[in-house]
Amino acid sequence: MADGSIDVQLRRFDTSQPWGFKMQGGVDTGFPIHVAQVNPKSISGQAGLQNGDVIISIGRMDVTGSTHQQARDEMIRSGNDVDLTVRRKGVPVKAAPPPEPEPEDGGAYRDVQPKTYQVLQKELPQAAATGGRPASIFDKKKQARSEYTKTDKSGYMKAYGQS
């Protein structure tokens, strides 16, 4: 367009899909209505909307003299097909902070090994050397097993603490 404004067309299937941008400003706030933040992977980000774009019109309605609520209402009235006219970088907005650097140890995750794995790791070399197998709960006599693994007469396992 001649005045440096561009058209951005936003289309979605239904109202459950968010547009993906944050609108701020209005005559009631003393700032022009503008795009404060855009999610780059959202509908608006894919359509080319950028942080700091001043919204001149929503649909056919000129919003340069509108309150924030009036502009918001017009977005809702437009439904799933919204045509915006914007002026690029008309309002300076704070840039998103750079991502945090990765920790040198590769992340916050610890290498956790379950106790069963630790026992097997210790017993497998001994069992392989003797040609046998690692120890098992079933090697113990039924009376020596913990209360947790004993069964009642029906054959079902008891819950821990169940009599």
Side-chain angles (χ1 to χ4, degrees):
M1 299 191 132
D3 60 355
S5 60
I6 62 165
D7 292 326
V8 177
Q9 295 179 340
L10 304 179
R11 304 290 183 257
R12 63 184 177 186
F13 294 110
D14 59 59
T15 55
S16 67
Q17 293 179 288
W19 291 120
F21 75 96
K22 186 184 214 180
M23 182 172 65
Q24 290 183 342
V27 293
D28 50 334
T29 65
F31 286 98
I33 295 174
H34 64 280
V35 177
Q37 186 178 6
V38 178
N39 179 346
K41 294 183 181 179
S42 68
I43 294 170
S44 56
Q46 297 295 320
L49 208 55
Q50 297 178 4
N51 292 349
D53 286 352
V54 172
I55 300 174
I56 298 168
S57 67
I58 300 171
R60 293 188 178 145
M61 180 182 170
D62 182 358
V63 294
T64 54
S66 301
T67 65
H68 181 79
Q69 188 62 45
Q70 289 169 331
R72 191 171 176 270
D73 291 345
E74 189 57 33
M75 283 291 295
I76 293 168
R77 233 184 328 274
S78 296
N80 295 327
D81 298 326
V82 178
D83 295 322
L84 301 175
T85 303
V86 299
R87 189 174 63 243
R88 286 279 180 234
K89 307 294 181 189
V91 174
V93 292
K94 188 166 65 171
E100 295 280 329
E102 288 288 324
E104 290 182 20
D105 63 357
Y109 298 106
R110 297 180 316 170
D111 184 21
V112 178
Q113 295 180 343
K115 188 172 182 179
T116 306
Y117 181 77
Q118 294 171 8
V119 169
L120 280 174
Q121 201 172 26
K122 184 175 91 178
E123 291 183 3
L124 276 175
Q126 295 168 353
T130 61
R133 62 180 176 74
S136 168
I137 182 76
F138 300 107
D139 291 342
K140 296 181 180 181
K141 292 191 183 324
K142 190 174 182 179
Q143 292 77 16
R145 297 179 191 168
S146 75
E147 287 294 320
Y148 183 73
T149 60
K150 290 181 183 176
T151 62
D152 61 9
K153 293 177 187 171
S154 67
Y156 291 105
M157 300 292 284
K158 289 183 184 179
Y160 182 75
Q162 183 181 10
S163 299

